[in-house]
Amino acid sequence: MSSDHLDSVVIGGGAIGLAIGRALALSGREVAVLESQDAIGSQTSSRNSEVIHAGIYYPTNSLKARLCVRGRELLYDFCEKRGVTAWKIGKLIVATDPAQEGELDALKRRAEANGVGNLELWGGAKARNDQPALACTAALFSPASGVMDSHGFMLALLGDIENAGGFLSLSTKVAAIARHERGYLLTMDDGYTLTCGLLVNAAGHAAPALTAGIEGVRGESIPRTWLAKGNYFRLSGKAPFTRLIYPVPEPGGLGVHITLDLGGQARFGPDVEWVEDFDYEVDPSRCAGFYAAIRNYWPALPDDSLVPDYAGIRPKIVGPGEPAGDFLFSDRADHGLPGLVALYGIESPGLTSALAIAEQVLERLQV
């Protein structure tokens, strides 16, 4: 580190932490982003579908709804200007039974209330004409949905931080945070210390425990956390679709859907597996459930065509059977401490919302 005191520090070098670091740097603040791993975005930010969400699913006026819609607009603009690949390939949310068609209507109404425009309800024939391999009775078409290069996005964010005078410190794990006359005292696991005036805890899964260790913080402001593992399988053959294909949502997630990577390769997931620890191995036996789910909308899925790919773990703040949670930003009004914002439950659509989340954090820091 170049100094033992910094104006502002962001803990966490994933997409969210880098977006916040960029916003602070561009506002004229001296900023360091501290990442515990030896590379940026190696956990939640690199273990997802890389989907750009339109803002369809989330309760109206929730942070997820507002920040997804705002973030999507900012994200497409940012990627275009920085040369980061982001393709609006569109998404079809499909009903595979007439009984599900009412859910598509409800999703469309909610999305429009969230400010998502240009959605179209398609009959089964139109959907199959667009995607001949698809089996469905109706579909909701979202033209604003897409896929992106999440690593390229994070590299571009880091470039802006560094160009504005900020910096990233890898393999820097914050072990403890304490109040200090200059703001906050951060102690690393190797014993190194630094102080900062403003602090943003964007440490993902580690965020609640870090905040809980600060003397004087209101304990009730820190949510209980849950780990929901999402497994992905890739298709060994050629992708049968040119758009994202999603079933109607299911409890705990958006259902086993098909996404396309930037090379056109198809992958399926994630499912929802509640776990107690961090295990990123994909159990091949889980593919049986994938075949059953996928064949609801792609009956021609060949046997033995799914290969274990990777897994991610969502940092949830609601547990099994509970209603979907919102993003949670904890500031002085919540935890009682000045100059600190802590972020919890930043799961999907966190990647899409990253730039809008950064705006929100600066507002709460009053920067």
Side-chain angles (χ1 to χ4, degrees), residues 15 43 75 198 209:
Q43 295 183 322
L75 181 60
L198 299 176

Side-chain angles (χ1 to χ4, degrees), residues 318-336:
V318 296
E322 297 179 0
D326 201 1
F327 295 151
L328 178 57
F329 301 157
S330 182
D331 58 21
R332 184 172 188 171
D334 305 301
H335 54 60

Side-chain angles (χ1 to χ4, degrees), residues 118-288:
N118 300 321
L119 296 174
E120 301 175 17
L121 282 171
W122 288 2
K126 183 170 183 178
R128 291 190 298 273
N129 184 63
D130 185 77
Q131 302 293 308
L134 185 62
C136 68
T137 63
L140 180 63
F141 175 54
S142 167
S145 301
V147 293
M148 66 176 297
D149 175 4
S150 60
H151 190 67
F153 174 55
M154 289 188 285
L155 287 174
L157 293 172
L158 177 58
D160 281 358
I161 291 170
E162 294 175 339
N163 288 338
F167 63 95
L168 166 73
S169 181
L170 296 171
S171 301
T172 305
K173 185 176 182 179
V174 178
I177 305 169
R179 297 290 305 280
H180 188 272
E181 62 183 6
R182 303 187 75 179
Y184 295 91
L185 172 68
L186 278 59
T187 302
M188 312 306 157
D189 63 353
D190 63 359
Y192 180 82
T193 62
L194 64 87
T195 60
C196 62
L198 299 176
L199 178 62
V200 179
N201 180 358
H205 297 98
L210 281 174
T211 305
I214 307 174
E215 184 177 359
V217 74
R218 293 174 186 152
E220 65 272 18
S221 71
I222 303 169
R224 179 177 178 179
T225 58
W226 306 79
L227 302 181
K229 183 177 180 179
N231 299 278
Y232 291 85
F233 286 77
R234 60 181 170 84
L235 183 67
S236 59
K238 182 179 178 181
F241 303 110
T242 58
R243 302 193 191 277
L244 306 171
I245 307 294
Y246 280 56
V248 295
E250 62 180 33
L254 300 182
V256 174
H257 49 265
I258 181 170
T259 62
L260 303 172
D261 65 22
L262 298 178
Q265 178 70 41
R267 59 175 175 249
F268 295 90
D271 59 357
V272 180
E273 178 187 1
W274 298 96
V275 296
E276 298 293 329
D277 54 24
F278 291 88
D279 173 12
Y280 291 109
E281 292 296 318
V282 178
D283 180 357
S285 70
R286 296 187 69 84
C287 73

